[in-house]
Structures are given as structure tokens and as C-alpha cells.
Amino acid sequence: MTTLQEKSQLKHQRILDMALKLFTRRGFFKTSVHDIQRETQVSIGSIYHHFGNKEAIAKALLDSIEEQLFLAVTEIMSNHQSAQERCKAIISYLFEISEADPDAMHYMLYARHREFLPDEKPVCSSRPFSLMKEIVATGIEAGEIREMDLNVAAVSIFGGPIRLIFLRLDGVLEQKLPHYLDACWQSSWRGVTAQPPSW
């Protein structure tokens, strides 16, 4: 039997799921709380009870997606030791999650969050992306990645793959992203490695 708390959590998630869909399809400013209410069949009062306002829904969505990415990167760091292994595993994960949940990646990468969440940090400064940058810094310190500006190194490794995600979300790429993983990874790593490529 479903408890009241479980029902509340399900309703909370249903609101978030629909908001993500509408924000992705229409944009934040063209989506109203009434639109979310109409699609979820949850009362306006209940939506305001759970979140307070539309900006709070947007913030909760962003926090949820960032947390998912942060936990994934943290797990990858636990399961892999070298910067090379970690970076490739992160790119693989980003490709997989972009295919499995394109709305979430679209919201994370495309939405101009600071237009409706002015106190929010840029996406590139969010916890998961900061952790990715730390992995690159560790790789430079360990001599895996040649001495270079940290920002340049991070963009060299992750910039191309993220651009491919944009192309896939835009419908430019016909093949699913994992199809491009090996070629993309070789190109990314070749640009930063301190050692001759072994492939």
C-alpha cells in the first residue's frame, strides 16, 4: 500500500518530469504553471505547495540533473584510476545519458538558466563539470596530460564530445552517440596526452 509520503514523492516527481518536458519543448518563459498543472492533472495549489513558484521548479530540475551527473562522475572516479580511463568513461556516460534522457541533457546544456535563475552558476562551473576539470588537473600533475593551461586541456578533452551531444540533440547526427565514441575519444586524447598514443 502506498503511503502518503510516497504519494507526495510521486506527485513531486510527476511535476518535475512534466516541467522538464515542457521547458525543453517550449522554453521556460513560454511555459506557465497552469501548463504544468494541465498536463499533470495536479492542482495548482499542490504545485505551489511542492515548489512555491516556476523558478523553484526550474531550480529543482537543474539541481536534480546536476546531482545525477555528479554522482555518476564520482562513481567513475572510484572505478577508474588514471585520468585517461576516467575521462573516456565520463564521455561514454555523457553519450549514453544523452541517448537515454535527451530532455535532461537538453535542459542542462541548452537552457539559459541564468536568464530565469540569475543567482545560478554557469553550467561549466557546476559540481559535475568542476569535478571533470579536477580530473584533468590531476592528469596534468601525474604527467599523463602534458603541461598546458587547465582550461585548454579540459576543453580539448570534453569540448568535442559535448559538441557532438549538441549535434545529436539538434538531429544532425543520424547515428547514436556511442557510435562515435572511439573516434571522438582518440581525437580528444591525442591533443593532450603526454605520451605517444598506443592505439
Side-chain angles (χ1 to χ4, degrees):
M1 186 174 181
T2 307
T3 66
L4 287 176
Q5 183 178 4
E6 288 171 337
K7 286 181 179 178
S8 178
Q9 289 172 344
L10 288 171
K11 187 180 292 184
H12 183 98
Q13 191 59 48
R14 190 159 82 247
I15 294 166
L16 285 179
D17 290 344
M18 184 51 64
L20 176 61
K21 182 178 179 180
L22 294 174
F23 290 164
T24 302
R25 304 287 192 281
R26 303 180 185 178
F28 175 83
F29 293 106
K30 291 183 180 178
T31 299
S32 69
V33 173
H34 286 277
D35 292 330
I36 298 170
Q37 181 276 324
R38 186 167 49 252
E39 295 293 335
T40 58
Q41 296 298 302
V42 173
S43 70
I44 289 288
S46 184
I47 292 175
Y48 281 113
H49 169 73
H50 279 273
F51 296 99
N53 55 38
K54 188 172 70 166
E55 287 75 13
I57 296 173
K59 178 72 166 76
L61 268 177
L62 187 59
D63 288 347
S64 175
I65 296 168
E66 283 189 2
E67 181 68 11
Q68 180 184 356
L69 290 175
F70 179 79
L71 292 175
V73 173
T74 301
E75 184 176 356
I76 286 168
M77 291 178 70
S78 297
N79 294 334
H80 301 279
Q81 298 305 311
S82 70
Q84 182 178 10
E85 293 171 335
R86 288 173 171 177
C87 290
K88 184 176 182 181
I90 289 169
I91 293 169
S92 178
Y93 170 78
L94 291 175
F95 281 3
E96 289 170 6
I97 198 67
S98 296
E99 294 293 344
D101 195 354
D103 284 349
M105 287 304 290
H106 190 285
Y107 184 71
M108 181 78 174
L109 297 176
Y110 267 109
R112 296 179 179 177
H113 305 107
R114 299 180 84 186
E115 291 183 1
F116 47 89
L117 298 171
D119 295 329
E120 196 64 31
K121 292 180 179 179
V123 170
C124 59
S125 298
S126 64
R127 288 197 306 156
F129 286 93
S130 294
L131 201 53
M132 288 157 63
K133 198 170 174 180
E134 286 179 25
I135 292 170
V136 176
T138 302
I140 294 173
E141 291 171 8
E144 279 188 80
I145 298 170
R146 59 188 171 83
E147 284 291 335
M148 61 194 304
D149 180 89
L150 176 57
N151 290 304
V152 172
V155 169
S156 296
I157 294 171
F158 297 113
I162 289 173
R163 181 59 186 154
L164 279 177
I165 292 172
F166 276 107
L167 292 175
R168 178 63 173 159
L169 293 175
D170 285 343
V172 175
L173 298 181
E174 294 182 5
Q175 299 281 356
K176 292 184 177 181
L177 286 164
H179 171 79
Y180 304 98
L181 176 62
D182 287 338
C184 179
W185 168 247
Q186 289 179 18
S187 178
S188 296
W189 188 250
R190 185 178 287 129
V192 301
T193 181
Q195 302 296 328
S198 57
W199 47 76

